[in-house]
Amino acid sequence: MKHKLTMALPKGKLFTPAKILLERCGFSYPELSDQSRTLIFTDERKEAAYIICRPTDIPTYVEHGAADLGIVGKDSIIEAGKNLYELVDLKFGYCRFVVAVPQDKLSPEGRFLWQPGFRIATKFPAVAREYLHKQGLQAEIIKLHGNIELAPRVGLAEAIVDIVSTGRTLKENNLVPLEYIGEATARLIVNRASYRLKAQRINELVTAIKEVLGEGGDEDLDSFV
Amino acid sequence: MPNKIKLSIPQGMRDWLPGEAYRKRDLINKLLKQISLWGYEEINTPMLEYYQVLLPDENWGGAEQIYKLVERDGRILALRSEMTLPIARVVSSKLPAAYPWRLMYGGEVFRYEEIQTGRQREFSQVGVELIGAAGEAADSEIVALAIETLRAAGLDSFTVSLGHTGVLRGLLESLSWEDAQLDRVRALILEKDFVSLGSYLLSAGMKEKRIQHLVGFLTCQLSPNDLVKEGRDLPQGILEALADLQKIISFLKRYGYERYVQVDLSTLRSQEYYTGMVFEIYTPGIGYPIGGGGRYDQLLHNWGTACPATGFALGVERILLSLPQEEKAKKEKPLLLVGTDAGKVISKALQLRKEGKRVFTEIGELSRWEAEKLALSKGAVLSWCGGENADEA
């Protein structure tokens, strides 16, 4: 199947809107699920295959050409720093990068004083490093894989860099946002070889996605996040 | 227990074991043989260069990918990270100005980069430089030669994606913006982040319709037959680049190779020295280009020679990965000559080697079973020479 399109889809909150978006673009495959034990689905009729994997791994699958294209949050793309084509902003899954610190570490005027030796816990070391560099700050970066909000509570770090959509998790952990340092939404990324070798199929999909999003489907899709 | 360091090799290096080493050498030979048919002459340069040769301009990217060492006198050395720069140095300093020079090479280069399939930190390149020739005849010769060389290696399913650095240059020139803004646009296009490019152009005040036209133009495959028409309404610099590509393509048609070529203006090479057409070659199953090249008319200025030039490099390991398996193993079996009489065995072996046969010997009392086992393990044909089990080879 020379023209088969392999797509990498993220487990978790972006999965359902990604699946629905593809359905609306004519890639309907009801069996597709991020809960099943199957991680690869093949739709012979549409000459398409779907790989279900962790969001942070999607740029890797696509860069190496294991998948021709992928749907993944900009946050994962930034952090991965891979050589990829980023073609469409899918608009759903909006979130922001935030620097947050414990409420009780703020001065009475509500300011946070950076001190030498401070540590930042984050899933996004590249983003955190970029922030520190721009601010001219120095801090140790501690890479974690999840539940970043826990780190300040247990004395692992003085601040965190994380993504937030509503900010509820921060509040529940007595953290306050210090600064928002970027935004992210889901993107369509494409392998650079596939982009050339399967140009026609990829362009058809891109056009279909743009049409669906143009109909105002984007807000609608966000309700599935 | 043996020391672990004593048995390991540095990250990104690899050993080529019997069989695979042969296939690599065989491929390199095939590629070079094909290239030499076009009148290209081989050139060799040292593995170690002064760092400044490999990074003549401090503003160029890629500094962190270069393996560096310190010479005894304190100067910085580097393992060559590519071949074009060393060859430009040689042409500028050691060769008479008898242009054009058609040069070819095959050798290892080193880059400190993330390890990928078919790309370790030491890898082999076969390539050519056509130095002292401007214009579409030279550019199309380079593209056609790359195509023919890959075909000679046994690869047929691949696509040459053709772009032009003039497109990006023309776009930036047409925007009367500040340098910082232009740098941002350039960076986004090089990163191929067309989403952020669109929103950045919008925030910088460009009209939405124009952005769509522009981004669409950069991200679509264009019909190679009427490029200039496809680019109407775009800045003059871009139109000139398209006209240049059009001429190259009309030459490629005369070679009969246009079916391998597609025009894709998002094709940009990471090396800063390219000034004109650039291309990358892709094949199904490999997520990265297996080769690429382009025109670099300003590079030799660095060594005081003003001279147009164009060339390409192919990634040997990546081509090996993309070749069908049966292409890889075409090698006649060697002969294992066994016997007890050293004089007989050696003279027989010498005679067979003179006839061009590959022969290795085992002198001593071998049982039939031992000899057969040895031959099998080496993939050899067993032959007896004297001794009790003599078959008379």
Side-chain angles (χ1 to χ4, degrees):
Chain A
M1 290 230 279
K2 204 177 149 198
H3 298 289
K4 187 167 89 174
L5 268 192
T6 304
M7 312 188 210
L9 303 180
K11 279 185 180 168
K13 63 174 186 164
L14 295 182
F15 178 79
T16 310
K19 181 181 169 185
I20 290 168
L21 174 64
L22 288 175
E23 269 168 19
R24 290 181 186 171
C25 296
F27 285 85
S28 167
Y29 197 66
E31 291 87 342
L32 208 57
S33 155
D34 67 338
Q35 303 297 325
S36 98
R37 296 184 68 136
T38 311
L39 298 173
I40 305 175
F41 298 86
T42 308
D43 183 349
E44 303 287 350
R45 192 180 49 88
K46 289 292 293 184
E47 286 193 271
Y50 306 90
I51 305 173
I52 314 294
C53 55
R54 285 172 61 123
T56 46
D57 289 337
I58 286 187
T60 308
Y61 278 83
V62 176
E63 190 195 31
H64 289 254
D68 297 309
L69 45 92
I71 291 178
V72 68
K74 177 70 177 170
D75 47 316
S76 302
I77 302 172
I78 294 177
E79 197 51 42
K82 302 280 186 194
N83 195 336
L84 303 159
Y85 274 71
E86 195 176 322
L87 287 186
V88 190
D89 183 353
L90 304 174
K91 308 268 175 60
F92 60 83
Y94 175 82
C95 58
R96 288 188 286 181
F97 283 103
V98 67
V99 186
V101 296
Q103 175 91 54
D104 54 14
K105 291 281 160 49
L106 292 179
S107 70
E109 305 84 55
R111 289 178 41 127
F112 181 77
L113 217 61
W114 284 92
Q115 285 172 22
F118 268 12
R119 296 157 300 174
I120 295 184
T122 185
K123 260 202 281 194
F124 305 97
V127 175
R129 212 169 295 125
E130 171 84 14
Y131 169 74
L132 289 170
H133 178 71
K134 275 193 184 153
Q135 300 291 314
L137 294 169
Q138 194 175 316
E140 187 187 337
I141 293 168
I142 297 176
K143 159 103 187 178
L144 296 177
H145 289 90
N147 300 102
I148 311 300
E149 62 284 353
L150 191 62
R153 292 184 65 170
V154 297
L156 180 61
E158 283 69 32
I160 66 168
V161 168
D162 205 0
I163 46 167
V164 289
S165 38
T166 60
R168 212 181 66 208
T169 314
L170 290 183
K171 231 176 239 156
E172 282 169 1
N173 286 280
N174 292 323
L175 293 164
V176 287
L178 207 58
E179 204 174 331
Y180 290 101
I181 54 174
E183 300 174 325
T185 47
R187 304 288 158 92
L188 179 77
I189 56 174
V190 180
N191 172 270
R192 52 187 179 136
S194 309
Y195 179 69
R196 271 74 185 222
L197 299 168
K198 300 181 183 176
Q200 199 191 339
R201 288 208 73 187
I202 289 172
N203 281 332
E204 279 167 15
L205 179 62
V206 166
T207 309
I209 289 176
K210 283 184 175 161
E211 265 168 31
V212 169
L213 295 179
E215 288 161 8
D218 47 321
E219 280 151 46
D220 171 15
L221 279 172
D222 235 347
S223 64
F224 296 103
V225 171
Chain B
M1 204 178 100
N3 182 334
K4 211 175 152 198
I5 285 285
K6 279 189 190 161
L7 291 179
S8 61
I9 55 174
Q11 277 247 327
M13 304 295 132
R14 70 168 285 190
D15 297 313
W16 290 80
L17 304 181
E20 46 182 18
Y22 167 79
R23 286 194 294 271
K24 183 167 81 154
R25 168 79 58 203
D26 186 48
L27 174 61
I28 292 174
N29 289 346
K30 262 191 209 157
L31 297 171
L32 289 175
K33 192 175 161 208
Q34 180 62 35
I35 294 169
S36 70
L37 292 180
W38 289 51
Y40 285 71
E41 293 177 280
E42 185 163 1
I43 181 170
N44 288 314
T45 65
M47 209 72 99
L48 278 173
E49 293 269 356
Y50 285 117
Y51 178 59
Q52 288 99 322
V53 169
L54 299 170
L55 202 75
D57 185 330
E58 283 174 14
N59 297 319
W60 286 6
E64 69 288 345
Q65 288 194 327
I66 299 179
Y67 276 87
K68 301 173 201 76
L69 307 79
V70 181
E71 173 71 299
R72 285 184 172 193
D73 63 7
R75 289 207 268 178
I76 302 175
L77 303 178
L79 286 171
R80 64 184 181 205
S81 51
E82 57 141 277
M83 295 296 293
T84 301
L85 287 159
I87 289 174
R89 171 186 62 71
V90 173
V91 171
S92 308
S93 58
K94 309 247 166 92
L95 293 182
Y99 300 120
W101 281 103
R102 284 185 165 81
L103 303 171
M104 66 175 188
Y105 59 84
E108 289 78 30
V109 299
F110 299 81
R111 266 179 230 166
Y112 195 83
E113 66 181 336
E114 215 178 310
I115 296 161
Q116 313 162 331
T117 328
R119 163 105 357 137
Q120 298 282 311
R121 288 177 182 166
E122 178 190 25
F123 54 95
S124 303
Q125 287 190 329
V126 165
V128 308
E129 313 294 348
L130 172 48
I131 295 174
E136 60 274 15
D139 282 329
S140 56
E141 172 173 327
I142 288 300
V143 176
L145 177 53
I147 292 170
E148 200 159 281
T149 305
L150 287 172
R151 281 166 46 108
L155 205 66
D156 192 52
S157 168
F158 58 86
T159 295
V160 178
S161 183
L162 204 57
H164 201 293
T165 57
V167 172
L168 178 54
R169 211 167 40 237
L171 169 64
L172 294 176
E173 277 166 10
S174 72
L175 305 170
S176 43
W177 293 356
E178 287 164 29
D179 281 353
Q181 288 177 303
L182 296 180
D183 285 346
R184 179 83 185 128
V185 171
R186 183 203 313 267
L188 288 172
I189 293 177
L190 287 173
E191 279 170 35
K192 303 178 187 80
D193 180 354
F194 294 106
V195 173
S196 306
L197 176 67
S199 51
Y200 185 77
L201 292 175
L202 193 65
S203 73
M206 194 184 274
K207 296 241 161 46
E208 181 133 20
K209 211 159 179 178
R210 191 163 154 70
I211 295 174
Q212 275 183 7
H213 182 45
L214 200 65
V215 175
F217 190 69
L218 287 174
T219 55
C220 273
Q221 261 82 35
L222 302 171
S223 153
N225 294 320
D226 213 348
L227 282 176
V228 180
K229 199 169 144 205
E230 295 222 34
R232 65 191 177 277
D233 310 335
L234 287 167
Q236 185 59 28
I238 297 186
L239 292 179
E240 282 166 19
L242 291 174
D244 191 24
L245 286 180
Q246 190 74 77
K247 284 191 227 154
I248 294 169
I249 288 165
S250 69
F251 261 77
L252 284 170
K253 282 185 183 155
R254 288 176 215 172
Y255 284 102
Y257 286 154
E258 73 271 21
R259 68 193 165 99
Y260 290 101
V261 180
Q262 62 177 220
V263 176
D264 178 340
L265 301 176
S266 68
T267 306
L268 295 162
R269 306 279 292 157
S270 55
Q271 288 90 343
E272 270 93 344
Y273 51 66
Y274 287 116
T275 55
M277 73 96 188
V278 287
F279 64 98
E280 287 183 335
I281 307 168
Y282 292 93
T283 186
I286 309 260
Y288 333 93
I290 55 171
R295 173 161 287 285
Y296 53 96
D297 285 347
Q298 305 299 322
L299 182 63
L300 276 80
H301 274 295
N302 283 301
W303 291 281
T305 311
C307 185
T310 177
F312 70 76
L314 302 172
V316 171
E317 288 82 359
R318 290 180 177 179
I319 298 173
L320 273 179
L321 277 177
S322 31
L323 284 176
Q325 290 294 324
E326 69 268 26
E327 273 296 327
K328 291 180 183 171
K330 266 189 208 153
K331 193 175 159 193
E332 208 187 320
K333 285 183 174 180
L335 211 61
L336 168 57
L337 210 54
V338 179
T340 46
D341 182 335
K344 258 189 172 174
V345 172
I346 289 171
S347 66
K348 180 79 188 167
L350 286 175
Q351 181 204 329
L352 285 167
R353 286 179 194 131
K354 254 188 205 150
E355 292 165 15
K357 298 238 166 57
R358 293 195 298 136
V359 182
F360 64 102
T361 60
E362 190 66 40
I363 299 165
E365 299 271 358
L366 258 67
S367 71
R368 178 166 288 273
W369 184 78
E370 281 171 329
E372 274 171 2
K373 194 176 142 201
L374 181 63
L376 190 66
S377 75
K378 302 291 174 201
V381 176
L382 177 61
S383 179
W384 292 92
C385 178
E388 285 172 46
N389 292 307
D391 282 352
E392 214 43 59

